[in-house]
Amino acid sequence: MDNADQDSSVNQQTGLLRGSIPELGKSPVHLLSAIVALASDKLWDVMLLDMAKAMALPDKIRFFLLAGLLLLLLTTISAGLTQMWVEKDDAGMALAKGLAMGILAGLPYSFGTTELGLIFIGWSGINELQKLNK
């Protein structure tokens, strides 16, 4: 038996075809919610930290608090509405998921370039691809 025959027999036994997307459990957040949170979080890397460099310490503290609260509010609302309208979650669950994403986006460090941000995007993206294959 050559390698090609062994590979095809293993694939038939496991039910996994080459090029198919592996089955993965449902992501806790919709892909659009994850993208909204990561995009607003990217502001910390791109703009907000550089804007605060020239400020005095009291102004810097006030700026970080206001920017963090604004990002928390905007991300919570947009991610929550996405969860409610697109993912069809009930209002309480959508608010909880939106608030969790808003907290991550509102903290003054980048969450989007870490492994956690990539996991959210990857997991949600694989779920969307699985929907397309069905």
Side-chain angles (χ1 to χ4, degrees):
M1 194 181 232
D2 64 350
N3 283 341
D5 291 336
Q6 288 175 346
D7 287 344
S8 65
S9 67
V10 168
N11 287 341
Q12 289 172 352
Q13 291 170 355
T14 60
L16 181 68
L17 299 175
R18 266 193 196 162
S20 68
I21 300 167
E23 285 297 319
L24 191 62
K26 189 174 182 310
S27 171
V29 294
H30 191 269
L31 180 61
L32 293 175
S33 295
I35 290 173
V36 163
L38 294 175
S40 61
D41 179 65
K42 196 65 179 162
L43 287 173
W44 286 115
D45 276 349
V46 176
M47 252 174 39
L48 297 176
L49 294 177
D50 290 337
M51 288 173 65
K53 283 183 182 176
M55 293 180 184
L57 184 60
D59 293 335
K60 198 180 284 193
I61 291 170
R62 195 172 319 121
F63 176 76
F64 283 148
L65 284 173
L66 290 175
L69 287 173
L70 182 64
L71 286 174
L72 173 114
L73 182 67
L74 292 175
T75 306
T76 299
I77 291 170
S78 59
L81 289 176
T82 300
Q83 287 298 129
M84 193 165 54
W85 290 341
V86 178
E87 196 65 19
K88 306 293 188 219
D89 285 343
D90 62 44
M93 184 60 73
L95 178 65
K97 289 178 182 180
L99 184 61
M101 299 303 281
I103 288 170
L104 290 173
L107 294 175
Y109 67 91
S110 180
F111 144 82
T113 56
T114 63
E115 291 80 12
L116 187 59
L118 297 175
I119 287 171
F120 273 126
I121 289 289
W123 191 359
S124 302
I126 288 173
N127 285 155
E128 291 300 313
L129 288 174
Q130 286 173 343
K131 289 179 188 175
L132 291 175
N133 277 348
K134 290 180 181 177

